[in-house]
Amino acid sequence: MHKLAVFGNPIEHSLSPKIHAIFAQQTGVYIEYSKQLAPIGDFKQVAQDFIKQGGTGFNITVPFKIQAFEIADELTKNAQAAGAVNTIKVQGAKLIGENTDGIGLMRDLSANLGVSLQGKTLLIIGAGGAARGIILPLLEQNPKRLMIANRTASKAISLANEFAKYGKTCGFGLEKIKPSPVDIIINASSAALNNEMPNIPDETANGAICYDLMYGKTTKFMQWAQANNAIKVVDGLGMLVEQAAASFEFWTGKRPMTMAVIKELAK
Ligand code: NDP
């Protein structure tokens, strides 16, 4: 039996218990997966209590991904590069930290949407935790170049410098975006949480695939992309399900089927 959970604050909205229950049914693996509200400042204690009670693994969401990184004894390459952990596996006395957000985005783009990144020009909007988690898996697909544009330019520049050893990156402020052809725009900003739209020139969307990491609503970014001739406009539901599938596999060794779950949640 795998005793699993997701820790966050807030956590009530989380779809993870539902997604993992479907994966367990599909694969015949017996799991118990609960939502756990961790008080701000008390994540480490709550996680340790869960492990003492027999917890074998857990997901971590906002705002605890960096603290989860800190409590891990070993880190996967993705977690190391991201500087954040969204999945922990309890292995004997050790906590193994992984970050499946980027793998989730990659699988949604490649397996579900049939989008290849090789030789493409990518533009990421935002330089926060979500952007950090997706950059390495994107660079591993050999894009022509990966640009990071952020409202606060300095954060985009330092993120681009940090990842330059993995591929061709550059970082700048949103105001410096040139409307030259971009193949794929990934909105990794949290603008949609306040029903806002990052300040991007309209021409940038023309002929591009526009992917918003946000899910559960049609965002202003998605409306903007549609109105400015994007060739495909996608929300982050597929990424959510795919990152959950990668976590499930990390814990159980079993790979669930994701498409049926994405369709079910999109209803
Ligand atoms: P962070 O708080 O770490 O970063 C937020 C980023 O958004 C910053 O770069 C910030 O810029 C930028 N931003 C916020 N508001 C605006 C605005 N009005 N205009 C332009 N830029 C803005 O958040 P995360 O990186 O953790 O999360 C980002 C999004 O990704 C969230 O919506 C989250 O729900 C989603 N997400 C989806 C996942 C999925 O599975 N689908 C997984 C993980 C995240 P600045 O630096 O200037 O403040």
Side-chain angles (χ1 to χ4, degrees), residues 126-143:
R132 291 191 70 87
I134 62 176
I135 294 173
L136 177 60
L138 292 174
L139 286 173
E140 284 177 340
Q141 302 302 308
N142 296 318

Side-chain angles (χ1 to χ4, degrees), residues 59-87:
N59 284 127
I60 307 93
T61 186
V62 176
F64 302 122
K65 290 184 188 180
I66 292 171
Q67 289 177 56
F69 176 86
E70 289 164 0
I71 64 168
D73 301 297
E74 282 176 23
L75 294 164
T76 63
K77 188 180 168 198
N78 282 324
Q80 186 88 55
V85 157
N86 79 337
T87 308

